[in-house]
Amino acid sequence: MAQRAPTASKKSPQVSAQVIKDLHERMVRIRLFETEAGKLMEAGKLPGFLHLYVGQEAVAAGVMAALRDDDQITSTHRGHGHAVAKGVGFREMYAELYGRVTGACLGRGGSMHINDLTRGMLGANGIVGAGVPIAVGAAFAARYKGEDNVAVTFFGDGATNIGAWHEGANMAAILGLPVVFVCENNGYAEFTPQSGHMLLTDVADRAAAYGMPSVIVDGMDAVAVHRAAAEAVERARAGAGPMMIEAKTYRYFDHQGVKGLRHPYRSDEEVAEWKARDPIDLLEVRAVADGTATRAELDDVWQRTRDEIADAIAYAEASPLPDPADLLLNVYSG
Amino acid sequence: MAQRAPTASKKSPQVSAQVIKDLHERMVRIRLFETEAGKLMEAGKLPGFLHLYVGQEAVAAGVMAALRDDDQITSTHRGHGHAVAKGVGFREMYAELYGRVTGACLGRGGSMHINDLTRGMLGANGIVGAGVPIAVGAAFAARYKGEDNVAVTFFGDGATNIGAWHEGANMAAILGLPVVFVCENNGYAEFTPQSGHMLLTDVADRAAAYGMPSVIVDGMDAVAVHRAAAEAVERARAGAGPMMIEAKTYRYFDHQGVKGLRHPYRSDEEVAEWKARDPIDLLEVRAVADGTATRAELDDVWQRTRDEIADAIAYAEASPLPDPADLLLNVYSG
Amino acid sequence: MTTTTEAPAVTPVAAPRKLSYVKAFNEGLAQAMREDENVFVAGEDVAGYGGVFRMFDNLLDEFGPRRMIDTPISEAALVGLGVGAAARGLRPVVDLMFMDFIGVCLDQIVNQAAKMKYMFGGALSVPLTITTASGAGLGAAAQHSQSLEAWLAHVPGLKVVMPSDAYTAKGLTVSAIRDDNPVVIMLNKVLLGSTSEVPEEIYGIPLGQAHTARHGSDVTVIALGRMVGEALAAADELAAEGVEIEVIDPRSVQPLDTETMFASVRRTNRVLVVHEAVTFGGLGAEIAAQIQDAVFDYLDAPVLRIGAPFSPVPFSPVLEKAYVPDRARIAQGCRRLLERS
Amino acid sequence: MTTTTEAPAVTPVAAPRKLSYVKAFNEGLAQAMREDENVFVAGEDVAGYGGVFRMFDNLLDEFGPRRMIDTPISEAALVGLGVGAAARGLRPVVDLMFMDFIGVCLDQIVNQAAKMKYMFGGALSVPLTITTASGAGLGAAAQHSQSLEAWLAHVPGLKVVMPSDAYTAKGLTVSAIRDDNPVVIMLNKVLLGSTSEVPEEIYGIPLGQAHTARHGSDVTVIALGRMVGEALAAADELAAEGVEIEVIDPRSVQPLDTETMFASVRRTNRVLVVHEAVTFGGLGAEIAAQIQDAVFDYLDAPVLRIGAPFSPVPFSPVLEKAYVPDRARIAQGCRRLLERS
Ligand SMILES: Cc1ncc(C[n+]2csc(CCOP(=O)(O)OP(=O)(O)O)c2C)c(N)n1
Ligand SMILES: Cc1ncc(C[n+]2csc(CCOP(=O)(O)OP(=O)(O)O)c2C)c(N)n1
Ligand SMILES: [Mg+2]
Ligand SMILES: [Mg+2]
């Protein structure tokens, strides 16, 4: 069954111009970071795997704009968007993709382990679903210490089929922890459509199995995501326990890499339908139409970001490689 | 939160006298098998652990009376009731509890691994939830081979919190396999009440997360269980896919052993309330009242079963121990 | 179903057919599926997509959706499905994609598949095959690069094979599927595209029979999986120095054919074991322990082990290269063994 | 938090206090909780019930439900909770009840807890303690009796300790909790009620430091966990025959103090390693491999390993008894070593 693009909400967004600009900038940053990363991979400059986030920007941007710096997130194999939106620097991220010692993981982790504890980014993760219980633990720690930060865990539609996801959801619910569960439903788990991996139309319906409320949002509409996230986050922060958000979204590139397609698992029409509702376009058109931003302002964001990316890539390329003599660095503490 | 005993259905059971007698006999067989096993354990005659099924007889009896011999079941750590009801012999079972070479596992498995492939009993299991995917596999095999047998997997309320349960339920649903999920909700996972391990009142509500229908039955009423099971089994046999039954029931003895209580996790009132609705009493009273069976007929079942048990225990005690020289027997096939 | 078709002697014909490792695996699997209607394949993206490593290419076309099953991301249920189906007489092949994912389903492999026959008093067999891709070298980092054969070989009831080239990838796959026990096939990711001569007809390679890949009299090198090729390359290098290395490929690590190793060491008196896995607690430890026990008096030097250092697999290629043993380190090890009088 | 209070010398006072293994564990845990507000305990029935082995008795009374958490049967989420909480600065103690259940949560232990610091470039520590009961001897059969230290010791980033008596149960527990790395504490089920002298004050026992439990000159016996007591009993038996056995208790198997072993073997020239786990691929293999490598020239006989045979743990006590190594087999092994010239 093909993933259908939700139709745009006609309601005018009830968020401030500042938030709109914030969402826009976060999305542009992700889009350009990822597009350039894809090009670098195609050019053979990056080792390892690359799961690009392009198309899903509204989700990371919308959620992260609702978080404080000390709020914690756990991410997935498709984690760059979350990292960028949470404020992890381009330099550390590209340097990591290049395997340089200046990278976010000192070159030890690569794409799937980018993290930044100073920004509450508790790491991408190579194991589907594994970040879910870790976020539950982060939320536990917050409550234990009497802090009011919350944890957000991102996962795909496919990830909701794995045991750790189920266990993590129930654990958060029974312990009443401040965790927001964000399902980025892009309609596919690798090459398997949602209809091939679960009988439900809405992943959000799974929340009820844990006594957890849930909401479904248009994952191409950053404002819609943001409003839902702000509500869920405030709810969690106030001690009302976990909640789930399902954002219906789409990835533009292949599961891994840029164009590895050898199996027509998605139709051209489907891809086109979703791209026609590109989250950045959508936000820009509305922002210009309602006077929130001028075209020039928006263009300036793109240009500034491009410059920052060029600098970051140059930084990464100029950075030294790790020293094989340090192979055992950080295996243990102390 | 205390587990409340459901009130008895006032509807007169719409099943034949033969089925009533069948249910009665299966329950008596379980009750006596378990009561005697408990005594043997108390007397220090049985090594290992013993998770008694007393109190829950209506579930095993009700479900198994709806199955054919070639239907398959997977069971749990609390598996004697399922085995007895599925027709596994007392001799092999007691001999196994005694660790004799004549036992159901040749003395290798003990209580938690009793099985009988000739009766479709695919084994008790020491790992909570592990039997669930195995039943899914058995159902897969049936459909693959074009056979119309179904698989039933038993599990407790607590087991629905483990990943394998979730994965198994979704797998059965998406593959549309003939599996019946039977939750024996006895209100506790070891010493933790249901309210301490999930936010739901009805475990059956979890079925919706897989697009699976479900039904809740009075697990002290063998007829009610039987009718629900017959429906679910026929549905599965007809190719309509999996379904979940939640039977609200209670265990009379401790989680493990007979009276290991050191923590008042259940009130005397609660225990008494449930015992007042003893599944065998309930059936006997109704059967005598509506003329389905005479007291003498029912007593005869008890007596015959007692005799068979005495014989089986004598058989077990007279059976030889395994020979340590055969330690490596059956590690591999071929 | 345990009969093993012996490998046909590779007679030198006009143009011996070469096949890649992954295609040889695929061919063996397809032939085993043709041979036995009870064989089916289940896993994530194995059917429609043909597997992320193309291990299952074209099988959906030939065998259809009844025998090629795409599953949700639910490895515990996937292996459990295999266990249940095997218990009921089928011969499932379930794919774990990356070996590193085994941590989410090890209970079904170790506590269910491996022990069921024993615990049940022999009442059934579990003819389950588990395929998975292991090994470092692709910059896939710590959670997608492990070689965990030591865990599995420590489990009574399991068998574990590590094909070292296309020929063994096919033959071990066929034997694994024909075997009545749970067998884990560890395909090496770096070898997927490597080619060697592969007979067209179906053939099995006996599990638990080591193969002497090269004969030599000076040092025995026992190499697992991808390290066999590295050892052969090291042998070439050392041959130029006048040193003759014997290379043994155990092919299966459980059961492990130690007799072939002992016999070799009795001749060479020096032995090196090499694998990709971390040295500490790796298979090399078991092999070394058995050798020093069985042929103690023949050893002119302690058994030398080469494996990965005690760290997770690093991402950066410069580190990963230093991490994984290679021909240079093997040659180096052999020289060290020979220096010892 | 990595400072280790050295074990106070056990000075012979009027009536040295004896405590059971499980109570010593409990006392160490309670003292560590008093010492550090960031320590909490989570697991199935650990709070209200005090743990099925009474490991957590009375802790709920003292520390309340904030620090003693009963969880659902969700071991993957339980360990994950610990990983996340540890990453955020707490010092979680999570309980797995039976070690055999590790197969349902190994991913969180091995791919998350153990690797996180490394993969993240050192950005954090994971000061997580995992407690679990291991070992055979209670007729608990194949899924409730395993000793799986070999799996864990093979994982870079983890530490693993195996207390052999009440004294080490307390001290290793304290050190595990104080350690900034993930540490698995394997309590032995059969030892739970066994008693030994245990100081009342809090003390740590350094991880990675073996203890020579008995000095002797004829054979070194390296024994893990419960086997230490068996080895000491065998030593008594052999002493009557005029044979002096040195018994080494590694206490922690990762890190493993091989120097103490090497030094001993240099004096005794004969060594036996004994553990409850299956011999093939067990820790004994690693120890044997290291010893034959490091002190090859000092060995008068090959390193002898004694472990369980290659089968799941059988249920029937008569089989289980034959399965688990004991003092008789250890004594027998020592005699065999001494026969060898
Ligand atoms: C436990 C585990 N199983 C399988 C994989 C391989 N894998 C990586 S991503 C992926 C698909 C995930 O789908 P989804 O959760 O929908 O996320 P998306 O890729 O669509 O963002 C799979 C199967 C894995 N990394 N971990
Ligand atoms: C994976 C796993 N975790 C924990 C246990 C220990 N354990 C055995 S039975 C049990 C409680 C099961 O509760 P429930 O599913 O409700 O079944 P009941 O005992 O009530 O019949 C637990 C925690 C286990 N055997 N396996
Ligand atoms: Mg997806
Ligand atoms: Mg229960």
Side-chain angles (χ1 to χ4, degrees):
Chain A
M1 198 210 299
Q3 172 85 346
R4 297 286 309 280
T7 46
S9 154
K10 292 284 174 275
K11 274 209 287 180
S12 99
Q14 290 159 349
V15 291
S16 68
Q18 199 192 328
V19 169
I20 300 280
K21 286 178 179 167
D22 179 357
L23 293 172
H24 178 254
E25 178 153 358
R26 289 187 209 244
M27 290 202 286
V28 169
R29 290 177 71 79
I30 298 171
R31 174 69 52 95
L32 289 175
F33 180 89
E34 291 293 69
T35 311
E36 289 309 307
K39 285 184 199 154
L40 295 171
M41 160 119 323
E42 295 262 276
K45 293 193 174 183
L46 306 184
F49 299 140
L50 200 70
H51 302 91
L52 296 174
Y53 194 79
V54 175
Q56 307 187 185
E57 293 90 345
V59 188
V63 173
M64 251 56 91
L67 298 183
R68 302 192 315 224
D69 277 0
D70 67 338
D71 288 329
Q72 308 292 316
I73 67 165
T74 65
S75 171
T76 68
H77 57 288
R78 198 176 303 289
H80 303 171
H82 308 136
V84 169
K86 196 75 171 68
V88 184
F90 286 162
R91 284 184 158 203
E92 302 90 281
M93 286 185 65
Y94 279 120
E96 189 57 37
L97 297 186
Y98 272 88
R100 304 299 161 117
V101 75
T102 52
C105 312
L106 312 188
R108 269 64 177 182
S111 166
M112 283 191 282
H113 306 294
I114 285 173
N115 69 91
D116 185 344
L117 292 234
T118 67
R119 311 293 309 182
M121 167 51 173
L122 278 177
N125 208 310
I127 304 296
V128 165
V132 175
I134 296 173
V136 175
F140 179 91
R143 190 174 65 185
Y144 190 91
K145 295 191 274 183
E147 298 171 353
D148 73 342
N149 61 74
V150 308
V152 178
T153 182
F154 292 89
F155 50 87
D157 48 307
T160 66
N161 294 319
I162 202 153
W165 180 85
H166 169 74
E167 295 188 6
N170 189 58
M171 187 73 83
I174 192 72
L175 298 180
L177 294 171
V179 190
V180 178
F181 286 73
V182 179
C183 178
E184 304 192 79
N185 184 351
N186 60 13
Y188 293 86
E190 289 193 350
F191 312 97
T192 300
Q194 185 185 337
S195 60
H197 66 70
M198 64 171 71
L199 292 182
L200 303 184
T201 306
D202 296 319
V203 179
D205 288 348
R206 294 200 152 166
Y210 316 103
M212 207 191 275
S214 65
V215 62
I216 299 173
V217 295
D218 176 357
M220 306 308 266
D221 181 343
V223 174
V225 173
H226 177 63
R227 287 164 64 198
E231 216 176 293
V233 167
E234 282 329 305
R235 211 181 153 276
R237 210 184 297 289
M243 176 165 172
M244 178 163 164
I245 298 172
E246 176 186 3
K248 311 268 193 189
T249 182
Y250 206 72
R251 65 170 153 75
Y252 290 0
F253 291 124
D254 202 13
H255 167 67
Q256 195 277 123
V258 177
K259 45 169 202 259
L261 301 186
R262 61 175 195 263
H263 171 67
Y265 65 102
R266 311 192 300 189
S267 70
D268 290 347
E269 295 71 42
E270 181 184 303
V271 178
E273 193 190 342
W274 281 91
K275 285 192 173 172
R277 298 196 57 257
D278 182 82
I280 303 181
D281 282 356
L282 216 66
L283 193 85
E284 291 193 342
V285 167
R286 284 204 300 220
V288 171
D290 67 14
T292 308
T294 64
R295 187 68 249 173
E297 282 174 319
L298 300 175
D299 287 347
D300 184 50
V301 172
W302 289 89
Q303 194 48 54
R304 272 192 287 115
T305 307
R306 271 198 195 92
D307 293 346
E308 193 179 332
I309 281 175
D311 157 78
I313 292 175
Y315 170 83
E317 294 193 344
S319 287
L321 291 166
D323 182 349
D326 295 335
L327 214 45
L328 296 184
L329 190 73
N330 289 320
V331 179
Y332 288 97
S333 290
Chain B
M1 198 207 300
Q3 173 85 346
R4 295 289 306 282
T7 45
S9 155
K10 293 284 173 271
K11 273 209 285 178
S12 97
Q14 291 159 349
V15 290
S16 68
Q18 200 192 326
V19 168
I20 300 280
K21 285 178 181 168
D22 178 356
L23 294 171
H24 178 255
E25 179 155 359
R26 289 187 209 245
M27 288 200 289
V28 169
R29 290 177 71 80
I30 299 170
R31 175 69 52 95
L32 289 176
F33 180 89
E34 291 292 69
T35 310
E36 289 309 307
K39 285 184 201 154
L40 295 170
M41 159 120 325
E42 295 263 277
K45 293 193 173 185
L46 306 184
F49 299 139
L50 199 70
H51 302 89
L52 295 175
Y53 194 77
V54 176
Q56 307 188 185
E57 293 90 346
V59 189
V63 173
M64 251 56 92
L67 298 184
R68 302 193 316 223
D69 277 0
D70 68 336
D71 289 330
Q72 308 291 315
I73 66 165
T74 65
S75 170
T76 68
H77 57 288
R78 198 176 303 290
H80 303 171
H82 309 134
V84 169
K86 196 75 172 67
V88 184
F90 285 161
R91 286 183 159 206
E92 302 92 280
M93 286 184 66
Y94 278 120
E96 189 57 37
L97 297 187
Y98 272 88
R100 304 299 159 117
V101 75
T102 52
C105 314
L106 312 187
R108 270 63 178 183
S111 166
M112 283 191 283
H113 305 295
I114 286 174
N115 70 93
D116 185 345
L117 292 235
T118 68
R119 313 291 312 182
M121 167 52 174
L122 278 177
N125 208 309
I127 304 295
V128 165
V132 175
I134 295 174
V136 175
F140 179 91
R143 188 172 69 184
Y144 190 90
K145 295 192 272 182
E147 298 170 355
D148 72 344
N149 62 73
V150 308
V152 178
T153 183
F154 292 90
F155 50 85
D157 48 306
T160 67
N161 294 320
I162 202 155
W165 179 86
H166 169 75
E167 294 188 6
N170 189 57
M171 187 72 83
I174 192 73
L175 298 180
L177 293 171
V179 190
V180 178
F181 286 73
V182 179
C183 178
E184 303 192 80
N185 184 352
N186 59 13
Y188 294 85
E190 288 193 352
F191 312 97
T192 300
Q194 185 185 338
S195 60
H197 67 69
M198 63 170 72
L199 292 182
L200 303 185
T201 306
D202 297 318
V203 179
D205 288 348
R206 294 200 153 168
Y210 316 104
M212 206 191 277
S214 65
V215 63
I216 299 172
V217 295
D218 176 356
M220 306 309 267
D221 181 343
V223 174
V225 173
H226 178 63
R227 288 163 65 197
E231 215 175 295
V233 167
E234 281 329 306
R235 210 181 155 276
R237 211 185 296 290
M243 176 164 171
M244 178 164 164
I245 298 172
E246 176 186 4
K248 311 268 193 190
T249 182
Y250 206 72
R251 64 169 154 74
Y252 290 0
F253 292 122
D254 202 14
H255 167 66
Q256 196 275 122
V258 176
K259 44 170 204 258
L261 301 185
R262 63 174 193 262
H263 170 66
Y265 65 102
R266 309 192 301 189
S267 70
D268 292 345
E269 295 71 42
E270 183 183 303
V271 177
E273 192 189 343
W274 281 91
K275 285 192 174 172
R277 298 196 59 256
D278 181 83
I280 304 182
D281 283 356
L282 216 64
L283 194 84
E284 291 193 344
V285 167
R286 284 204 301 220
V288 171
D290 67 13
T292 307
T294 64
R295 186 68 248 172
E297 282 174 316
L298 299 175
D299 287 348
D300 185 52
V301 172
W302 288 90
Q303 194 47 55
R304 272 192 286 115
T305 307
R306 273 198 193 92
D307 294 346
E308 192 180 332
I309 281 176
D311 157 77
I313 292 174
Y315 171 82
E317 294 194 343
S319 288
L321 291 166
D323 182 348
D326 294 336
L327 214 45
L328 296 183
L329 189 73
N330 289 319
V331 178
Y332 288 97
S333 290
Chain C
M1 290 311 307
T2 48
T3 53
T4 299
T5 314
E6 271 307 302
V10 184
T11 37
V13 286
R17 187 187 64 142
K18 290 214 167 194
L19 216 57
S20 74
Y21 186 88
V22 67
K23 286 202 168 128
F25 162 81
N26 182 284
E27 183 172 278
L29 173 56
Q31 290 175 339
M33 291 181 80
R34 279 175 218 131
E35 176 178 88
D36 188 340
E37 164 73 17
N38 285 329
V39 179
F40 72 94
V41 179
E44 292 152 27
D45 290 309
V46 295
Y49 197 70
V52 299
F53 299 112
R54 317 198 72 141
M55 283 160 58
F56 307 99
D57 262 7
N58 304 318
L59 298 183
L60 178 62
D61 290 344
E62 178 173 352
F63 299 103
R66 174 168 166 268
R67 298 181 68 187
M68 293 299 303
I69 323 288
D70 277 331
T71 68
I73 310 175
S74 308
E75 284 85 359
L78 170 62
V79 178
L81 174 96
V83 174
R88 295 290 297 142
L90 301 186
R91 306 187 83 82
V93 176
V94 306
D95 181 57
L96 286 185
M97 203 181 294
F98 286 82
M99 185 169 206
D100 312 68
F101 305 164
I102 209 165
V104 302
C105 57
L106 202 59
D107 179 71
Q108 285 289 337
I109 300 176
V110 164
N111 280 332
Q112 314 300 330
K115 298 183 174 43
M116 194 176 262
K117 183 188 182 68
Y118 183 86
M119 296 185 309
F120 283 15
L124 48 60
S125 295
V126 183
L128 169 68
T129 299
I130 298 174
T131 56
T132 192
S134 65
L138 299 185
Q143 293 174 337
H144 284 77
S145 303
Q146 292 165 87
S147 295
L148 297 168
E149 65 275 7
W151 285 0
L152 300 176
H154 186 46
V155 179
L158 287 186
K159 296 187 177 182
V160 188
V161 302
M162 299 179 70
S164 58
D165 61 7
Y167 175 77
T168 50
K170 177 171 171 179
L172 291 171
T173 297
V174 168
S175 291
I177 295 171
R178 287 175 175 167
D179 197 279
D180 278 334
N181 299 284
V183 184
V184 180
I185 304 178
M186 292 172 56
L187 295 178
N188 183 287
K189 292 195 280 289
V190 168
L191 292 181
L192 292 171
S194 71
T195 60
S196 69
E197 268 178 55
V198 177
E200 302 204 11
E201 60 276 32
I202 189 169
Y203 60 92
I205 292 177
L207 307 186
Q209 201 167 300
H211 170 68
T212 304
R214 179 181 176 128
H215 293 273
S217 51
D218 298 328
V219 179
T220 301
V221 176
I222 300 160
L224 306 192
R226 177 155 87 85
M227 291 300 115
V228 174
E230 294 298 315
L232 290 171
D236 283 344
E237 192 181 317
L238 289 164
E241 301 170 18
V243 174
E244 287 305 327
I245 300 305
E246 178 141 313
V247 178
I248 295 180
D249 175 2
R251 292 181 170 171
S252 94
V253 294
Q254 189 57 266
L256 183 70
D257 173 8
T258 46
E259 284 309 323
T260 298
M261 300 175 191
F262 299 159
S264 174
V265 176
R266 276 193 210 97
R267 282 185 288 98
T268 62
N269 313 116
R270 288 175 164 83
V271 57
L272 180 162
V273 194
V274 56
H275 51 59
E276 268 200 70
V278 153
T279 304
F280 191 105
L283 241 292
E286 177 63 32
I287 294 172
Q290 287 205 36
I291 288 175
Q292 64 88 37
D293 189 36
V295 293
F296 188 69
D297 295 329
Y298 292 87
L299 286 173
D300 286 345
V303 184
L304 183 63
R305 293 182 293 158
I306 296 183
F310 205 60
S311 97
V313 182
F315 165 66
S316 189
V318 63
L319 296 178
E320 194 183 27
K321 202 176 157 352
Y323 180 87
V324 182
D326 60 10
R327 56 197 69 184
R329 279 176 61 198
I330 296 168
Q332 182 69 25
C334 290
R335 288 188 200 102
R336 242 171 61 209
L337 278 173
L338 286 162
E339 275 159 24
R340 178 129 186 177
S341 59
Chain D
M1 290 312 308
T2 48
T3 53
T4 299
T5 314
E6 270 308 302
V10 183
T11 38
V13 285
R17 188 186 62 144
K18 290 213 166 194
L19 216 57
S20 74
Y21 187 88
V22 68
K23 286 202 170 129
F25 162 82
N26 181 286
E27 181 171 279
L29 173 55
Q31 290 175 338
M33 291 181 80
R34 278 176 219 131
E35 175 178 89
D36 188 341
E37 162 73 18
N38 286 329
V39 179
F40 71 95
V41 179
E44 291 151 27
D45 290 309
V46 295
Y49 197 70
V52 299
F53 299 112
R54 318 198 73 142
M55 283 160 57
F56 307 100
D57 263 6
N58 303 320
L59 299 182
L60 179 63
D61 290 344
E62 177 173 353
F63 299 104
R66 173 168 168 267
R67 298 180 69 187
M68 292 300 303
I69 322 289
D70 277 329
T71 68
I73 310 175
S74 308
E75 283 85 358
L78 170 62
V79 178
L81 173 96
V83 174
R88 295 290 297 144
L90 300 186
R91 306 187 84 79
V93 175
V94 306
D95 181 57
L96 286 186
M97 204 180 297
F98 286 82
M99 186 171 205
D100 313 68
F101 305 163
I102 209 165
V104 303
C105 57
L106 203 59
D107 180 71
Q108 285 290 339
I109 301 175
V110 164
N111 280 332
Q112 314 301 331
K115 297 182 175 46
M116 194 175 262
K117 183 187 181 72
Y118 183 87
M119 296 185 308
F120 282 14
L124 49 61
S125 295
V126 183
L128 170 68
T129 299
I130 298 175
T131 57
T132 192
S134 66
L138 298 186
Q143 293 175 337
H144 285 77
S145 303
Q146 292 165 88
S147 295
L148 297 168
E149 66 274 8
W151 285 0
L152 300 176
H154 187 47
V155 179
L158 287 186
K159 295 187 178 181
V160 188
V161 302
M162 299 178 71
S164 58
D165 61 8
Y167 174 78
T168 49
K170 177 170 170 179
L172 290 171
T173 297
V174 169
S175 291
I177 295 171
R178 287 174 176 168
D179 197 280
D180 279 333
N181 298 283
V183 184
V184 179
I185 304 178
M186 291 172 57
L187 294 179
N188 184 286
K189 292 195 281 290
V190 168
L191 291 182
L192 293 172
S194 71
T195 60
S196 70
E197 268 178 57
V198 177
E200 302 204 12
E201 59 275 33
I202 189 168
Y203 61 92
I205 292 178
L207 307 186
Q209 200 167 301
H211 170 68
T212 304
R214 177 181 177 126
H215 293 273
S217 52
D218 298 328
V219 179
T220 301
V221 175
I222 300 160
L224 306 192
R226 176 156 87 84
M227 291 300 115
V228 174
E230 294 297 315
L232 290 171
D236 283 343
E237 191 180 318
L238 289 164
E241 300 170 22
V243 174
E244 287 305 326
I245 301 306
E246 177 142 315
V247 178
I248 295 179
D249 175 1
R251 292 180 170 175
S252 95
V253 294
Q254 187 59 264
L256 182 71
D257 173 9
T258 47
E259 284 310 324
T260 297
M261 302 175 192
F262 300 159
S264 174
V265 176
R266 275 193 211 98
R267 283 185 288 99
T268 62
N269 313 117
R270 286 174 165 82
V271 57
L272 181 162
V273 194
V274 56
H275 51 58
E276 269 200 69
V278 151
T279 304
F280 191 106
L283 242 291
E286 178 63 31
I287 294 172
Q290 288 206 35
I291 288 175
Q292 65 87 36
D293 188 36
V295 293
F296 188 68
D297 295 330
Y298 292 87
L299 287 174
D300 286 345
V303 184
L304 183 62
R305 293 183 292 158
I306 296 183
F310 205 61
S311 97
V313 182
F315 164 64
S316 188
V318 62
L319 296 178
E320 195 183 28
K321 204 178 153 356
Y323 181 88
V324 183
D326 59 10
R327 55 197 70 186
R329 281 175 62 197
I330 296 169
Q332 182 69 24
C334 290
R335 289 189 200 101
R336 242 171 63 209
L337 278 173
L338 285 162
E339 273 159 25
R340 180 131 184 174
S341 60

